Coordinates of all heavy atoms in Angstrom, one line a residue:
V1 N 7.4 26.6 -8.8 CA 8.1 26.5 -7.7 C 7.3 26.7 -6.4 O 7.6 26.0 -5.5 CB 9.3 27.5 -7.8 CG1 10.3 27.3 -6.6 CG2 10.1 27.3 -9.0
D2 N 6.4 27.6 -6.6 CA 5.5 27.7 -5.3 C 4.8 26.5 -5.0 O 4.5 26.3 -3.8 CB 4.6 28.8 -5.5 CG 5.3 30.2 -5.6 OD1 6.4 30.4 -5.1 OD2 4.6 31.2 -6.3
H3 N 4.3 25.7 -5.9 CA 3.7 24.6 -5.7 C 4.4 23.5 -4.9 O 4.0 22.8 -4.1 CB 3.0 23.9 -7.0 CG 1.9 24.8 -7.5 ND1 0.8 25.1 -7.0 CD2 1.9 25.3 -8.9 CE1 0.1 25.9 -7.7 NE2 0.7 26.1 -8.9
L4 N 5.7 23.4 -5.4 CA 6.7 22.4 -4.8 C 7.0 22.9 -3.3 O 7.0 22.0 -2.4 CB 8.0 22.5 -5.6 CG 7.9 21.8 -6.9 CD1 9.3 21.9 -7.6 CD2 7.4 20.5 -6.8
Q5 N 6.9 24.1 -3.0 CA 7.2 24.7 -1.6 C 5.9 24.4 -0.8 O 6.0 23.8 0.4 CB 7.5 26.2 -1.6 CG 7.7 26.7 -0.3 CD 9.1 26.3 0.2 OE1 10.0 25.7 -0.4 NE2 9.4 26.4 1.7
A6 N 4.9 24.5 -1.3 CA 3.6 24.1 -0.7 C 3.5 22.7 -0.4 O 3.0 22.2 0.8 CB 2.3 24.6 -1.4
I7 N 3.9 21.9 -1.2 CA 4.0 20.4 -1.1 C 4.9 19.9 0.0 O 4.6 19.1 0.9 CB 4.2 19.7 -2.6 CG1 3.0 19.9 -3.5 CG2 4.4 18.1 -2.2 CD1 3.4 19.4 -4.8
R8 N 5.9 20.5 -0.1 CA 7.0 20.2 1.0 C 6.7 20.6 2.3 O 6.9 19.8 3.3 CB 8.4 21.0 0.6 CG 9.3 20.2 -0.3 CD 10.7 20.7 -0.2 NE 10.6 22.2 -0.2 CZ 11.6 22.9 -0.3 NH1 12.8 22.5 -0.7 NH2 11.6 24.3 -0.2
L9 N 5.8 21.6 2.5 CA 5.4 22.1 3.8 C 4.2 21.4 4.3 O 3.7 21.6 5.5 CB 5.3 23.5 3.8 CG 6.5 24.4 3.5 CD1 6.2 25.8 3.5 CD2 7.6 24.1 4.7
N10 N 3.6 20.7 3.5 CA 2.3 19.8 3.8 C 2.6 18.8 4.8 O 3.3 17.8 4.4 CB 1.6 19.5 2.5 CG 0.1 18.9 2.7 OD1 -0.1 18.3 3.9 ND2 -0.7 19.0 1.8
P11 N 2.0 18.6 5.9 CA 2.3 17.8 6.9 C 1.9 16.4 6.4 O 2.5 15.3 6.8 CB 1.7 18.1 8.2 CG 0.8 19.2 7.9 CD 1.2 19.8 6.5
K12 N 0.7 16.2 5.7 CA 0.3 15.1 5.2 C 1.2 14.4 4.2 O 1.5 13.2 4.1 CB -1.1 15.2 4.5 CG -2.2 15.5 5.4 CD -3.6 15.5 4.8 CE -4.6 15.8 5.9 NZ -5.9 16.0 5.3
V13 N 1.9 15.2 3.4 CA 3.0 14.8 2.4 C 4.1 14.1 3.1 O 4.6 13.2 2.8 CB 3.3 16.0 1.3 CG1 4.4 15.6 0.4 CG2 2.0 16.2 0.6
A14 N 4.6 15.0 4.1 CA 5.6 14.6 4.9 C 5.4 13.2 5.7 O 6.2 12.4 5.6 CB 6.1 15.6 5.9
A15 N 4.3 13.2 6.1 CA 3.8 12.0 6.9 C 3.8 10.8 5.9 O 4.3 9.6 6.1 CB 2.6 12.0 7.6
G16 N 3.3 11.0 4.7 CA 3.3 10.0 3.7 C 4.6 9.5 3.3 O 4.9 8.3 3.1
L17 N 5.5 10.4 3.1 CA 6.9 10.1 2.6 C 7.6 9.4 3.8 O 8.3 8.4 3.4 CB 7.7 11.4 2.2 CG 7.2 12.2 0.9 CD1 7.9 13.4 0.9 CD2 7.4 11.1 -0.2
A18 N 7.3 9.7 5.0 CA 8.0 9.0 6.0 C 7.4 7.6 6.2 O 8.3 6.6 6.3 CB 7.8 9.8 7.3
L19 N 6.3 7.4 6.0 CA 5.6 6.1 6.0 C 6.0 5.2 4.9 O 6.3 4.0 5.0 CB 4.1 6.1 6.0 CG 3.4 6.6 7.5 CD1 2.1 6.9 7.3 CD2 3.8 5.7 8.6
Y20 N 6.2 5.9 3.8 CA 6.6 5.1 2.6 C 8.0 4.6 2.8 O 8.4 3.5 2.6 CB 6.6 6.0 1.3 CG 7.0 5.4 0.0 CD1 6.2 4.5 -0.6 CD2 8.4 5.4 -0.5 CE1 6.5 3.7 -1.7 CE2 8.7 4.9 -1.6 CZ 7.8 4.0 -2.2 OH 8.3 3.3 -3.3
A21 N 8.9 5.6 3.2 CA 10.2 5.2 3.6 C 10.4 4.0 4.6 O 11.2 3.1 4.5 CB 11.1 6.4 4.1
A22 N 9.5 4.1 5.6 CA 9.6 3.0 6.6 C 9.2 1.8 6.0 O 9.6 0.7 6.2 CB 8.6 3.5 7.8
G23 N 8.1 1.8 5.1 CA 7.6 0.7 4.4 C 8.8 0.0 3.5 O 8.9 -1.3 3.5
V24 N 9.6 0.8 2.9 CA 10.6 0.3 2.1 C 11.8 -0.4 3.0 O 12.2 -1.5 2.6 CB 11.3 1.5 1.3 CG1 12.7 1.0 0.7 CG2 10.3 2.0 0.2
V25 N 12.1 0.2 4.0 CA 13.0 -0.5 5.0 C 12.4 -1.8 5.5 O 13.2 -2.8 5.5 CB 13.3 0.6 6.2 CG1 14.2 -0.2 7.3 CG2 14.1 1.7 5.7
L26 N 11.2 -1.8 5.9 CA 10.5 -3.1 6.3 C 10.6 -4.0 5.3 O 10.7 -5.3 5.6 CB 9.2 -2.8 7.0 CG 9.1 -2.0 8.3 CD1 7.7 -1.6 8.7 CD2 9.8 -2.8 9.5
W27 N 10.2 -3.7 4.1 CA 10.1 -4.6 2.9 C 11.5 -5.2 2.7 O 11.7 -6.5 2.5 CB 9.7 -3.8 1.7 CG 9.5 -4.7 0.4 CD1 10.4 -4.6 -0.5 CD2 8.6 -5.6 0.1 NE1 10.0 -5.4 -1.5 CE2 9.0 -6.1 -1.2 CE3 7.5 -6.1 0.8 CZ2 8.2 -7.0 -1.8 CZ3 6.7 -7.1 0.1 CH2 7.1 -7.6 -1.2
L28 N 12.6 -4.4 2.8 CA 14.0 -4.9 2.5 C 14.3 -5.9 3.8 O 15.1 -7.0 3.4 CB 14.9 -3.8 2.4 CG 14.6 -3.0 1.2 CD1 15.7 -1.7 1.3 CD2 14.9 -3.7 -0.2
I29 N 13.9 -5.5 4.9 CA 14.2 -6.6 6.0 C 13.5 -7.8 5.8 O 14.2 -8.9 6.0 CB 14.0 -5.9 7.3 CG1 14.9 -4.6 7.5 CG2 13.9 -6.8 8.5 CD1 14.4 -3.8 8.9
A30 N 12.2 -7.7 5.4 CA 11.5 -8.9 5.1 C 12.1 -9.8 4.1 O 12.4 -11.0 4.3 CB 10.1 -8.6 4.9
L31 N 12.4 -9.1 3.0 CA 13.1 -9.9 1.8 C 14.5 -10.5 2.2 O 14.8 -11.6 1.7 CB 13.1 -9.0 0.6 CG 12.0 -8.7 -0.1 CD1 12.2 -7.7 -1.2 CD2 11.3 -9.9 -0.7
A32 N 15.2 -9.8 3.1 CA 16.4 -10.4 3.6 C 16.3 -11.7 4.4 O 17.2 -12.4 4.4 CB 17.2 -9.3 4.3
R33 N 15.2 -11.7 5.0 CA 14.9 -12.9 5.9 C 13.9 -14.1 5.4 O 14.0 -15.1 6.0 CB 14.3 -12.4 7.3 CG 15.3 -11.4 8.0 CD 14.8 -10.9 9.3 NE 15.8 -10.0 9.8 CZ 15.6 -9.4 11.0 NH1 14.6 -9.5 11.6 NH2 16.6 -8.7 11.4
L34 N 13.2 -13.7 4.5 CA 12.1 -14.7 4.1 C 12.2 -14.7 2.5 O 12.6 -13.8 1.9 CB 10.7 -14.3 4.6 CG 10.6 -14.3 6.0 CD1 9.3 -13.6 6.4 CD2 10.5 -15.7 6.6
P35 N 11.7 -15.8 1.9 CA 11.6 -15.9 0.5 C 10.4 -15.0 0.0 O 9.5 -14.7 0.7 CB 11.1 -17.4 0.2 CG 11.1 -18.1 1.5 CD 11.4 -17.1 2.7
L36 N 10.6 -14.6 -1.3 CA 9.7 -13.6 -1.9 C 8.3 -14.2 -1.9 O 7.3 -13.4 -1.7 CB 10.1 -13.3 -3.4 CG 9.2 -12.3 -4.2 CD1 9.2 -11.0 -3.5 CD2 9.8 -12.2 -5.4
S37 N 8.2 -15.4 -2.2 CA 6.8 -16.2 -2.2 C 6.1 -16.2 -0.8 O 4.9 -16.2 -0.8 CB 7.0 -17.5 -2.7 OG 7.7 -18.3 -1.8
V38 N 6.8 -15.9 0.3 CA 6.2 -15.7 1.5 C 5.9 -14.2 1.8 O 4.7 -14.0 2.3 CB 7.1 -16.3 2.6 CG1 6.6 -15.9 4.0 CG2 7.3 -17.8 2.6
V39 N 6.7 -13.3 1.4 CA 6.7 -11.9 1.7 C 5.6 -11.3 0.8 O 4.7 -10.5 1.3 CB 8.0 -11.3 1.6 CG1 7.9 -9.8 1.9 CG2 8.9 -11.8 2.6
Y40 N 5.6 -11.6 -0.4 CA 4.8 -10.8 -1.5 C 3.3 -10.8 -1.2 O 2.6 -9.8 -1.4 CB 5.1 -11.4 -2.8 CG 4.5 -10.3 -3.8 CD1 5.3 -9.2 -4.1 CD2 3.4 -10.6 -4.5 CE1 4.7 -8.2 -5.1 CE2 2.9 -9.8 -5.5 CZ 3.5 -8.6 -5.7 OH 3.0 -7.7 -6.6
P41 N 2.7 -11.9 -0.6 CA 1.2 -11.9 -0.4 C 0.9 -10.9 0.6 O -0.3 -10.4 0.6 CB 1.1 -13.3 0.1 CG 1.9 -14.1 -0.5 CD 3.2 -13.3 -0.6
F42 N 1.8 -10.4 1.5 CA 1.4 -9.3 2.5 C 1.2 -8.1 1.8 O 0.7 -7.1 2.4 CB 2.6 -9.2 3.5 CG 2.5 -10.3 4.5 CD1 3.2 -11.5 4.3 CD2 1.5 -10.2 5.5 CE1 3.0 -12.5 5.2 CE2 1.5 -11.3 6.4 CZ 2.2 -12.5 6.2
T43 N 1.5 -7.9 0.4 CA 1.1 -6.6 -0.2 C -0.5 -6.5 -0.2 O -0.9 -5.3 -0.4 CB 1.7 -6.7 -1.7 OG1 1.1 -7.7 -2.4 CG2 3.2 -6.6 -1.7
I44 N -1.1 -7.5 -0.1 CA -2.6 -7.5 -0.1 C -3.0 -6.5 1.1 O -3.8 -5.7 0.9 CB -3.3 -8.8 0.0 CG1 -2.9 -9.6 -1.2 CG2 -4.8 -8.7 0.3 CD1 -3.3 -11.0 -1.3
V45 N -2.3 -6.7 2.2 CA -2.5 -5.9 3.4 C -2.4 -4.3 3.1 O -3.1 -3.5 3.5 CB -1.7 -6.2 4.6 CG1 -1.8 -5.4 5.7 CG2 -1.8 -7.7 5.1
T46 N -1.4 -4.1 2.2 CA -1.2 -2.6 1.8 C -2.4 -2.0 1.2 O -2.9 -1.0 1.4 CB 0.0 -2.5 1.1 OG1 1.1 -3.1 1.6 CG2 0.3 -1.1 0.6
L47 N -3.0 -2.9 0.2 CA -4.3 -2.6 -0.4 C -5.3 -2.0 0.6 O -6.0 -1.0 0.4 CB -4.7 -3.6 -1.3 CG -4.3 -3.8 -2.7 CD1 -4.8 -5.0 -3.3 CD2 -4.9 -2.6 -3.4
G48 N -5.5 -2.8 1.5 CA -6.6 -2.6 2.5 C -6.3 -1.4 3.3 O -7.1 -0.5 3.6
L49 N -5.0 -1.1 3.6 CA -4.7 0.0 4.6 C -4.7 1.2 3.7 O -5.1 2.2 4.3 CB -3.2 -0.2 5.0 CG -3.0 -1.4 5.9 CD1 -1.6 -1.4 6.4 CD2 -3.7 -1.0 7.3
V50 N -4.3 1.2 2.5 CA -4.4 2.5 1.6 C -5.9 2.8 1.5 O -6.2 4.1 1.5 CB -3.8 2.3 0.4 CG1 -4.0 3.4 -0.6 CG2 -2.2 2.2 0.4
F51 N -6.8 1.8 1.2 CA -8.1 2.1 1.0 C -8.8 2.7 2.4 O -9.4 3.7 2.4 CB -8.9 0.8 0.6 CG -10.3 1.1 0.3 CD1 -10.7 1.6 -0.8 CD2 -11.3 0.5 1.2 CE1 -12.1 1.9 -0.9 CE2 -12.6 0.8 1.0 CZ -13.1 1.4 -0.1
A52 N -8.4 2.1 3.5 CA -9.0 2.6 4.7 C -8.6 4.0 5.0 O -9.2 4.8 5.5 CB -8.6 1.4 5.9
A53 N -7.2 4.2 4.8 CA -6.6 5.4 5.0 C -7.2 6.6 4.2 O -7.5 7.7 4.7 CB -5.1 5.5 4.9
S54 N -7.6 6.3 3.0 CA -8.1 7.2 2.1 C -9.5 7.7 2.6 O -9.9 8.9 2.5 CB -8.3 6.8 0.7 OG -9.2 5.7 0.5
V55 N -10.2 6.7 3.2 CA -11.5 7.0 3.7 C -11.4 7.7 5.1 O -12.0 8.9 5.4 CB -12.3 5.8 3.9 CG1 -13.6 6.0 4.7 CG2 -12.6 5.1 2.6
V56 N -10.6 7.2 6.0 CA -10.5 7.7 7.3 C -9.7 9.0 7.4 O -10.1 10.0 7.9 CB -9.9 6.6 8.2 CG1 -9.6 7.3 9.7 CG2 -10.7 5.4 8.4
L57 N -8.5 9.0 6.8 CA -7.7 10.2 7.0 C -7.8 11.4 6.0 O -7.7 12.5 6.3 CB -6.1 9.8 6.9 CG -5.7 8.8 7.9 CD1 -4.3 8.4 7.6 CD2 -5.9 9.3 9.2
L58 N -8.3 11.0 4.8 CA -8.5 11.8 3.7 C -10.0 12.3 3.4 O -10.1 13.2 2.6 CB -7.8 11.5 2.4 CG -6.4 11.2 2.5 CD1 -5.8 10.6 1.1 CD2 -5.6 12.4 2.9
G59 N -10.8 11.5 4.2 CA -12.3 11.7 3.9 C -12.8 11.5 2.5 O -14.0 12.0 2.2
E60 N -12.2 10.5 1.9 CA -12.9 10.2 0.5 C -13.9 9.3 0.7 O -14.1 8.6 1.7 CB -11.7 9.4 -0.3 CG -10.5 10.3 -0.6 CD -9.4 9.6 -1.5 OE1 -9.6 8.4 -1.8 OE2 -8.4 10.2 -1.7
R61 N -14.9 9.4 -0.2 CA -16.0 8.6 -0.1 C -16.1 7.8 -1.5 O -16.8 8.3 -2.4 CB -17.4 9.4 0.0 CG -17.3 10.2 1.4 CD -17.5 9.3 2.5 NE -17.3 10.0 3.9 CZ -16.3 9.6 4.8 NH1 -15.5 8.7 4.4 NH2 -16.3 10.4 5.9
P62 N -15.6 6.7 -1.4 CA -15.7 5.8 -2.7 C -17.2 5.3 -3.0 O -17.9 5.1 -2.1 CB -14.7 4.7 -2.4 CG -14.7 4.5 -0.9 CD -14.9 5.9 -0.4
G63 N -17.4 5.3 -4.4 CA -18.7 4.8 -4.8 C -18.6 3.3 -4.9 O -17.5 2.7 -4.6
A64 N -19.8 2.7 -5.2 CA -20.0 1.4 -5.2 C -19.0 0.6 -6.2 O -18.5 -0.5 -6.0 CB -21.5 0.9 -5.4
L65 N -19.0 1.3 -7.3 CA -17.9 0.6 -8.4 C -16.5 0.6 -7.9 O -15.9 -0.2 -8.3 CB -18.1 1.2 -9.7 CG -19.5 1.1 -10.4 CD1 -19.5 1.8 -11.7 CD2 -19.6 -0.5 -10.7
T66 N -16.1 1.7 -7.3 CA -14.7 1.9 -6.7 C -14.5 0.7 -5.7 O -13.5 0.0 -5.7 CB -14.4 3.2 -6.1 OG1 -14.7 4.2 -7.1 CG2 -13.2 3.2 -5.4
I67 N -15.5 0.5 -4.8 CA -15.4 -0.5 -3.8 C -15.4 -1.9 -4.4 O -14.5 -2.8 -4.0 CB -16.5 -0.5 -2.7 CG1 -16.4 1.0 -1.9 CG2 -16.5 -1.7 -1.8 CD1 -17.6 1.2 -1.0
A68 N -16.2 -2.1 -5.4 CA -16.1 -3.4 -6.1 C -14.8 -3.6 -6.7 O -14.4 -4.8 -6.8 CB -17.3 -3.4 -7.2
G69 N -14.2 -2.6 -7.4 CA -13.0 -2.7 -8.0 C -11.9 -3.1 -7.0 O -11.1 -3.9 -7.3
W70 N -11.9 -2.3 -5.9 CA -10.8 -2.6 -4.7 C -11.0 -4.1 -4.4 O -10.1 -4.9 -4.1 CB -11.1 -1.8 -3.6 CG -10.5 -0.5 -3.8 CD1 -10.9 0.7 -4.1 CD2 -9.0 -0.2 -3.4 NE1 -10.0 1.7 -4.1 CE2 -8.8 1.2 -3.7 CE3 -7.9 -0.9 -2.9 CZ2 -7.6 1.8 -3.5 CZ3 -6.9 -0.3 -2.8 CH2 -6.5 1.0 -3.0
C71 N -12.2 -4.6 -4.2 CA -12.5 -6.1 -3.7 C -11.9 -6.9 -4.8 O -11.4 -8.0 -4.5 CB -13.9 -6.2 -3.5 SG -14.5 -5.3 -2.1
S72 N -12.3 -6.7 -6.1 CA -11.8 -7.5 -7.2 C -10.3 -7.7 -7.3 O -9.8 -8.8 -7.4 CB -12.3 -7.0 -8.6 OG -13.7 -7.0 -8.6
V73 N -9.5 -6.5 -7.1 CA -8.1 -6.6 -7.0 C -7.7 -7.4 -5.9 O -6.6 -8.3 -6.0 CB -7.6 -5.1 -7.1 CG1 -6.0 -5.0 -6.7 CG2 -8.0 -4.4 -8.3
A74 N -8.2 -7.1 -4.8 CA -7.8 -7.8 -3.5 C -8.0 -9.4 -3.8 O -7.2 -10.2 -3.2 CB -8.4 -7.3 -2.3
L75 N -9.1 -9.8 -4.2 CA -9.6 -11.2 -4.4 C -8.6 -11.8 -5.4 O -8.0 -12.9 -5.3 CB -11.0 -11.3 -4.9 CG -11.5 -12.7 -4.9 CD1 -11.5 -13.4 -3.6 CD2 -12.9 -12.6 -5.6
G76 N -8.3 -11.1 -6.4 CA -7.4 -11.6 -7.4 C -5.9 -11.8 -6.9 O -5.3 -12.8 -7.1
L77 N -5.4 -10.9 -6.0 CA -4.3 -11.0 -5.4 C -4.2 -12.2 -4.5 O -3.2 -12.8 -4.2 CB -3.8 -9.7 -4.7 CG -3.3 -8.6 -5.6 CD1 -3.0 -7.3 -4.8 CD2 -2.0 -9.1 -6.4
A78 N -5.3 -12.3 -3.8 CA -5.4 -13.4 -2.8 C -5.4 -14.7 -3.6 O -4.7 -15.8 -3.1 CB -6.7 -13.3 -2.1
F79 N -5.9 -15.0 -4.7 CA -6.0 -16.1 -5.4 C -4.5 -16.3 -5.9 O -4.1 -17.5 -5.8 CB -6.7 -16.1 -6.8 CG -8.2 -16.0 -6.6 CD1 -9.2 -15.5 -7.5 CD2 -8.8 -16.8 -5.4 CE1 -10.5 -15.6 -7.3 CE2 -10.0 -16.9 -5.4 CZ -11.0 -16.3 -6.2
I80 N -3.8 -15.3 -6.3 CA -2.4 -15.6 -6.8 C -1.6 -16.0 -5.5 O -0.7 -16.9 -5.6 CB -1.9 -14.3 -7.3 CG1 -2.5 -14.0 -8.6 CG2 -0.3 -14.3 -7.4 CD1 -2.2 -12.6 -9.1
A81 N -1.7 -15.3 -4.3 CA -1.0 -15.8 -3.2 C -1.2 -17.1 -2.7 O -0.3 -17.8 -2.5 CB -1.3 -14.8 -2.0
V82 N -2.5 -17.6 -2.7 CA -2.9 -18.9 -2.5 C -2.2 -19.9 -3.4 O -1.5 -21.0 -3.1 CB -4.4 -19.2 -2.4 CG1 -4.7 -20.6 -2.4 CG2 -5.0 -18.4 -1.1
D83 N -2.4 -19.6 -4.7 CA -1.7 -20.4 -5.7 C -0.1 -20.6 -5.5 O 0.5 -21.5 -5.7 CB -2.0 -19.9 -7.1 CG -1.5 -21.0 -8.3 OD1 -1.9 -22.1 -8.1 OD2 -0.8 -20.4 -9.1
A84 N 0.6 -19.5 -5.2 CA 1.9 -19.3 -5.1 C 2.4 -20.1 -3.9 O 3.4 -20.7 -3.8 CB 2.4 -17.8 -5.0
S85 N 1.5 -20.2 -2.8 CA 1.8 -20.9 -1.6 C 1.8 -22.4 -1.8 O 2.6 -23.1 -1.1 CB 1.0 -20.5 -0.5 OG -0.4 -20.9 -0.6
G86 N 1.2 -22.9 -2.8 CA 1.1 -24.2 -3.1 C 2.1 -24.7 -4.2 O 2.3 -25.8 -4.4
A87 N 2.8 -23.6 -4.8 CA 3.8 -24.0 -5.8 C 5.0 -24.5 -5.2 O 5.3 -24.1 -4.1 CB 4.0 -22.7 -6.7
T88 N 5.8 -25.3 -6.0 CA 7.0 -25.9 -5.4 C 8.0 -25.1 -6.2 O 8.0 -24.8 -7.4 CB 7.1 -27.4 -5.5 OG1 6.9 -27.7 -6.8 CG2 6.1 -27.9 -4.5

C-alpha cells in the first residue's frame, strides 16, 4: 500500500496520467471526425514523442540496438500507413 501512495503522489505519474487522458479524448474526437485509415497513421508520431520524452524528461540513454529497434518499428508503421492510404 505504501508503494501505491508513493506512486499517486509522484508528479511525473500524475502528469503522465493527465497526458494519457488528454490523448484518449483527442483520439476519440479525431475518430469521430475522420476515418480510421486517416487517423491511425498519426500513432507513428506517438512513438517519436515517447522516445524523445524518455530521453529528455527521464534522462534515459538508449543504446544503439534500442535506437535501431525504434527506427525499425517506426519504419514498419510508416510502410503500413503508406499502404493503407493507397488502399480503397
Side-chain angles (χ1 to χ4, degrees):
V1 177
D2 291 332
H3 294 301
L4 294 177
Q5 183 70 14
I7 291 171
R8 274 195 321 196
L9 297 176
N10 187 328
K12 288 182 181 179
V13 171
L17 289 173
L19 288 171
Y20 183 79
V24 168
V25 170
L26 291 173
W27 179 255
L28 293 173
I29 290 170
L31 286 175
R33 296 183 180 179
L34 297 166
L36 179 62
S37 62
V38 173
V39 176
Y40 194 74
F42 283 94
T43 59
I44 295 171
V45 174
T46 304
L47 268 172
L49 291 175
V50 168
F51 182 73
S54 72
V55 172
V56 174
L57 299 177
L58 301 177
E60 294 182 6
R61 297 293 173 240
L65 287 177
T66 300
I67 293 170
W70 277 94
C71 291
S72 296
V73 170
L75 186 60
L77 287 173
F79 286 151
I80 292 168
V82 168
D83 186 53
S85 68
T88 53

